[in-house]
């Protein structure tokens, strides 16, 4: 079992930047694929970005070019650098991880939240106009 603790959320004005962190403890093999998701009130949880241990990344179209996902494997920590923030980025942001299921497993954000088994408690990001 992996425990995940997010930090770095806050309130910023439109156009500002924030950097989220997610510290993971437990089995490193359970964190082959790490991702960021977000959920606004009354809306479904949305995939934001994902990254494998090898550094392969994918992004949701809505954040591509503005957000950058990265990880420090030695410290088992996940990051999300968010720039050019917009009011529509306001949401609770969650970190999630999962293990590798097969040699051809896919860590793409397009697979959604259901394939992830470990979740953090979330950190709130609020962007004002």
């Amino acid at each position: 079992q992996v425990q995940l603790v997010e930090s770095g959320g806050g309130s910023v004005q439109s156009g500002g930047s924030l950097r989220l962190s997610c510290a993971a403890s437990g089995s490193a093999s359970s964190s082959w694929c790490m991702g960021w998701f977000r959920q606004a009130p009354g809306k479904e949880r949305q995939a934001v970005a994902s990254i494998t241990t090898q550094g392969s990344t994918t992004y949701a179209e809505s954040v591509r070019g503005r957000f950058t996902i990265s990880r420090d494997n030695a410290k088992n920590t996940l990051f999300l650098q968010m720039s050019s923030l917009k009011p529509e980025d306001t949401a609770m942001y969650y970190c999630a991880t999962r293990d590798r299921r097969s040699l051809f497993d896919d860590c793409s954000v397009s697979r959604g939240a259901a394939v992830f088994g470990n979740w953090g408690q979330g950190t709130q990001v609020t962007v004002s106009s």
Side-chain angles (χ1 to χ4, degrees):
Q1 190 71 16
V2 177
Q3 291 187 327
L4 304 170
V5 179
E6 301 97 334
S7 61
S11 298
V12 296
Q13 290 190 328
S14 182
S17 299
L18 281 174
R19 188 189 195 213
L20 306 184
S21 299
C22 172
S25 61
S27 172
S29 64
S30 297
S31 300
W32 168 73
C33 177
M34 302 185 79
W36 287 101
F37 293 77
R38 65 187 182 186
Q39 188 167 18
K43 295 189 176 181
E44 292 186 354
R45 189 164 295 191
Q46 175 190 26
V48 174
S50 66
I51 186 169
T52 66
T53 303
Q54 294 76 21
S56 178
T57 60
T58 67
Y59 295 90
E61 193 58 40
S62 59
V63 306
R64 192 184 307 277
R66 299 188 297 122
F67 291 9
T68 301
I69 189 171
S70 61
R71 63 189 290 173
D72 183 333
N73 291 329
K75 297 182 179 179
N76 218 8
T77 303
L78 178 70
F79 304 99
L80 185 68
Q81 178 67 48
M82 304 184 295
S83 302
S84 302
L85 283 162
K86 305 174 181 180
E88 50 264 44
D89 294 318
T90 295
M92 185 71 78
Y93 282 70
Y94 298 91
C95 168
T97 74
R98 67 175 183 87
D99 58 1
R100 190 171 191 174
R101 312 288 167 77
S102 72
L103 184 62
F104 305 102
D105 200 356
D106 180 8
C107 182
S108 171
V109 292
S110 63
R111 297 195 66 190
V115 296
F116 286 81
N118 304 301
W119 292 87
Q121 295 300 306
T123 185
Q124 178 68 37
V125 172
T126 302
V127 184
S128 57
S129 58

